[in-house]
Structure formats: structure tokens, C-alpha cells
Amino acid sequence: MGLFTRKKKIAIPENRPVPRHIAVIMDGNGRWAKKRGLPRQAGHKVGAETFRTIATYCKDIGVQYFTVYAFSTENWKRPQEEVNALMNLFRTYLKEAAETMFQRGVAVRVLGDLTPLPEDIRAQIREVDEIADRLGPDAATASLCINYGGRDEIKNAVRAIAEQVKNGVLAPEDITEETIGAHLYTAHMPDPDLIIRPSGEIRTSNFLLWQSAYAEYYFTDVLWPDFKTADMDAAIDAFNKRNRRFGGV
């Protein structure tokens, strides 16, 4: 069997509003493994399966975009053994996930600064993009943020805009919020409506800093590998009870 196995059919709530874009900081894989006396990479493997389950569930209930924090720019500082295990998980996971989720109508994308990644993984990401392209621009999209950092993303956007100003393509006074948004990794999608942080931590951890300006946050003590569709339902129900005023009265 591959990493991803078919689960029993999940009951889908009917006639319930859902956010257009949900993002998740996938946290707690290491603690999940430690509680069971397992190596940290075992938690990452189960967390990858959780991503597939939750991403396809989101598509089934009508969520258009699902984005997860898979590997941050800071994660390179982790022990080399763990970094290597994560890279090997991406090798095993990326194409299989893309093909499996393609069958469910979900386009898998990878966001972030991909240049430091090993060439074989970058090649896999190109294949993943080709698979996603076959579903067309309107397909439900599940994005993995790999070697991603919110500050790094903004820095790279500013550099690109500064280069345009330097070359006379853009005047400084013409720079708008839309200009900056168009230079972010998420330029092809709307900002997240709901950001979920499992594992009991209450911080943003440098995730989607620009895009989260008006996002609702939902925090839960559930570790990511234990996160079930019922936990996603609870997050969406909490979201639907909030009054989103966007600075208005």
C-alpha cells in the first residue's frame, strides 16, 4: 500500500456556509510521536495523511482553497536527521498525493521559495504542477507551503517591486496593496478567511503575515495528526458564529 489509503466514506454536513479559503499551521507532529514513544518522523508521516484527509474533506464541503504550513524557512535549523526525514517524506509524498487527490478533483500546489530544495524535489514539484494544471483554474486547490516564511515572502515581493521601480517599469506612487499582493506566492488565490492552529500554541509563527490581516483565527489543543473532520467542522462552526466587520461598525 502507498502512504495514502482509502478511508471510509465521511458524512458531509449539508447547507452549511463554509469559508472560501482555510489555512492551517500543521503543528504537533513531533509531540504526537513523542507521546507514543515514536521518532518524530513517524508523526510527520501521520500528519501527511491527515493533510490528505482534511484537504479532500474541505473540497467535498465546498471550500475552494486549503493551504497548510508544511515546512518553514526556520525548519532548516532542526536536527539534520529530522530535516532529511522531512525531505524524504516530500519525495515519497508529493507526486502520490497529487495523483491521489487529482482523482478527487483537488489540485495540489506548492508555495514558497523552492530554490534551496534538492533538485529532485523541485522536479517533483514541477510534475505536481502539471497534474494540477489538468484540473483547470477553477479546481479546488490544496497548497503546501514549503520553505515558506511570511517575512521572507514580503521581502522577496519588495525586492521584485523595487527592481521594477529601478527599471522604470513602475513609479513609487503607483505601488498599492494590490501591487504587493500580486507579488506574493498566493497571488492566484484570495486571502484566507480562517486560519487554524492546532496543538495548543497561540501564535502565527510567521505564516501568511500579509494575507491574514482580516482572517479569523481558531486555536485548538488537538495535535495535527489527531485532527479529524469533526475538528474541522468545529472550527467552521466557530467561524460562522463570528461577526466579521472588517473594521466597520
Side-chain angles (χ1 to χ4, degrees):
M1 281 190 172
L3 177 60
F4 302 104
T5 55
R6 175 70 66 182
K7 298 290 185 71
K8 66 180 180 180
K9 189 173 182 180
I10 299 170
I12 306 297
E14 296 182 0
N15 303 319
R16 178 187 60 180
V18 296
R20 187 181 182 195
H21 184 178
I22 296 176
V24 174
I25 301 171
M26 298 194 301
D27 196 15
N29 293 340
R31 276 170 283 170
W32 182 93
K34 184 177 180 180
K35 285 173 61 177
R36 291 159 176 77
L38 300 171
R40 289 176 63 88
Q41 47 263 44
H44 294 309
K45 185 174 181 180
V46 177
E49 169 67 10
T50 300
F51 163 75
R52 184 200 68 86
T53 299
I54 298 300
T56 53
Y57 179 69
C58 281
K59 181 264 180 185
D60 290 342
I61 62 177
V63 176
Q64 183 70 28
Y65 300 95
F66 180 69
T67 304
V68 299
Y69 208 2
F71 188 88
S72 75
T73 50
E74 290 79 20
N75 286 160
W76 295 107
K77 301 174 185 177
R78 292 186 176 185
Q80 191 60 48
E81 181 181 3
E82 183 176 354
V83 172
N84 291 342
L86 283 165
M87 291 300 124
N88 286 333
L89 182 60
F90 292 145
R91 289 183 174 96
T92 303
Y93 165 74
L94 281 172
K95 191 175 179 183
E96 183 178 353
E99 290 173 343
T100 301
M101 295 170 70
F102 173 84
Q103 296 169 6
R104 296 288 299 274
V106 181
V108 176
R109 300 287 184 183
V110 178
L111 309 178
D113 180 4
L114 307 182
T115 51
L117 297 177
E119 173 52 35
D120 64 313
I121 294 179
R122 296 204 305 271
Q124 276 197 326
I125 291 171
R126 290 191 290 271
E127 292 183 43
V128 166
D129 282 337
E130 291 172 1
I131 294 170
D133 288 343
R134 298 206 302 266
L135 285 171
D138 297 326
T141 302
S143 299
L144 284 154
C145 293
I146 298 178
N147 194 40
Y148 174 89
R151 287 182 174 182
D152 189 64
E153 177 183 33
I154 295 170
K155 175 201 72 180
N156 291 337
V158 170
R159 282 180 174 175
I161 294 169
E163 191 68 24
Q164 289 182 313
V165 172
K166 176 182 175 182
N167 294 332
V169 177
L170 184 67
E173 59 270 22
D174 292 333
I175 298 173
T176 64
E177 291 186 9
E178 289 72 22
T179 307
I180 297 171
H183 286 81
L184 300 177
Y185 301 130
T186 55
H188 60 290
M189 64 176 74
D191 291 342
D193 304 290
L194 171 64
I195 298 178
I196 300 171
R197 176 79 189 242
S199 85
E201 304 292 349
I202 306 177
R203 58 179 179 270
T204 61
S205 292
N206 200 20
F207 184 51
L208 300 178
L209 296 181
W210 178 274
Q211 300 90 333
S212 63
Y214 288 102
E216 298 289 332
Y217 277 86
Y218 178 85
F219 299 98
T220 174
D221 291 335
V222 177
L223 301 177
W224 176 248
D226 288 328
F227 197 91
K228 309 298 183 188
T229 57
D231 297 303
M232 178 57 73
D233 289 339
I236 292 173
D237 289 342
F239 172 85
N240 285 334
K241 292 175 183 176
R242 298 184 188 179
N243 182 11
R244 307 188 74 207
R245 296 185 298 273
F246 300 99
V249 177

